[in-house]
Amino acid sequence: MTTEREVLDVDVLFVGGGVAGLAGALHLKHKVDEHNAASKASGGPELEEPMICVIEKGDAIGSHTLSGAVIDPRGLDELLPDWREQDPPLVPVTGDEMRWLNAGGGSFKLPMPPWMNNHGFTTGSLGNVVRWLGEKVEAAEVNVFPGFPAADLIIEGEDDAARVCGVVTNDKGIAADGSRRGNFEPGVEIRAKVTVLCDGSRGHLTKRLVERWGLEGRNPQVYETGVKETWEVPGASAHVGRVLHTAGFPLPRDIFGGSFLYWVGEDLITIGLVVALEYEDPAFDIHEELQRLKTHPYIAELLKGGTRVNYGAKSLPAGGYWALPRPYVNGCLVAGDALGTVNVARLKGIHLGMKSGMLAAETALAALIAGDSSAATLAPYEEAFKQSWAGRELHRFRNFHQAMAHGMTLGGMARIGLQLVTGGRGLRDYEPLGAGHARMLAKGKRRQASEPIKKDGVLTFDKLTNVYFSGTKHEEDQPAHLLVHADPNHCATTCAQEFGNPCQSFCPASVYEMVDDESAGGGAQKLQINFSNCVHCKTCDIMDPYQVIEWVTPESGGPAYVNL
Ligand code: SF4
């Protein structure tokens, strides 16, 4: 059945209303105004007011945003020099500490690595920051459309002439069986001279773009996943701005990761655990480890008397400089987490994501002025990013993740030490790294996960209970937005035998479940995808050892994050 679609023509389209997309859209607006003011003064040609548009899959700006977060203000300082006077939902960091947690219940303070120093920075909920920034973007008369998931790229032309001409948004009202429900609404074609993909960590459109054009960086992108709870703890407001990072318990030495606790304002403490998606044990479950973390006496004491009020999860790109893909093709740029602008050494990426969005905006403006958005016109973006303070920061830590890829080993620490004194070089300028999912071993070959703890419903919670606190929901009568590109028996046979269905463990939202297949009988099992639980973290798309899971946009819905 052919579908007639409404077409919306815009000049520059930012796909994704996170920090990169919003910062990019606002910066573009500022730069257009600057350009036209300068042209007017000099009598040069002015640019006709371009139509700038941001689309966001979340039902509201910020509803799908989750991060620690401690923010290095460098990006905000450039974007909005007077941001401190604009009532941002951020508090200054007042105390900064790093601790080692012992499995036996003890802990001790660690010296703060110089690159982790958070002095002069701010902390808060990134979702709230994005909401605040979204208001500034709308006030600048940029078109911001939340609730518009981009389903696919519009690609026209062949070979070298192939170009991205925009995106098509999801059809709404498709039933689970593929038929059209009564409320069917076809998706819209949003056509743009320049499309800037800011679709986040493992963005599904960026993934297609990278595959279609072969844009992969020197190393494949690797990822981490973070799971996070926000707690309301009476008396926590007395410590607003405190920042605590921990290493050690509950993670085994050969898994890279650690926890964070930030006192983000009022009585709220946000606690999370971040783990590199390079572990070997298919039964490892990060949600379970977050629950275990809270049983450590040092952590339990901090949360005592409190209530968990929110839960969420998100992946983040961790490959750094050598994993940056080529960020441009005809008609299209990539920015933010989709590009991989996270410095895992500093546990920060917000300022880098903003800067990449702003540089993409400047490149888009150059294309509008030239009336040409071919790859040749957009290509300077790559070098502009690499030569900027953001690119130089990533370059300084270009081999950091490689040194930590096997956990916090003595050898890894020594390599980090060498990198410190050689400007990030270490043993050699380029350190290779393989894809994280390839490290997973067959079940029984490696045990890294401890036995699950008994959840008390006060300090510790089972996954499903926590999912409720993410606010996630999806229309049930729609096709699942988790596609398994494999033989229907793959999960119950090959994967069950080799890996024991690790999707049941690595998904932090209990989406994947092996259930009895009554139609087959004989104790056979099948995969059930409880897609309405999905919090859009993309871990399954990244960590599946067969790489057959593809996350795509649902018609709407997803988490409704608050204070995350
Ligand atoms: Fe994350 Fe995939 Fe689970 Fe959704 S189904 S919550 S994207 S791991």
Side-chain angles (χ1 to χ4, degrees), residues 313 481-482 503 506-512 529-531 533-541 549 551:
H481 65 279
L482 290 315
C503 55
F506 58 59
C507 171
S510 288
V511 168
Y512 300 98
I529 301 178
N530 306 310
F531 68 84
N533 290 351
C534 178
V535 295
H536 299 198
C537 73
K538 322 282 182 67
T539 305
C540 52
D541 194 302
I549 299 179
W551 183 97

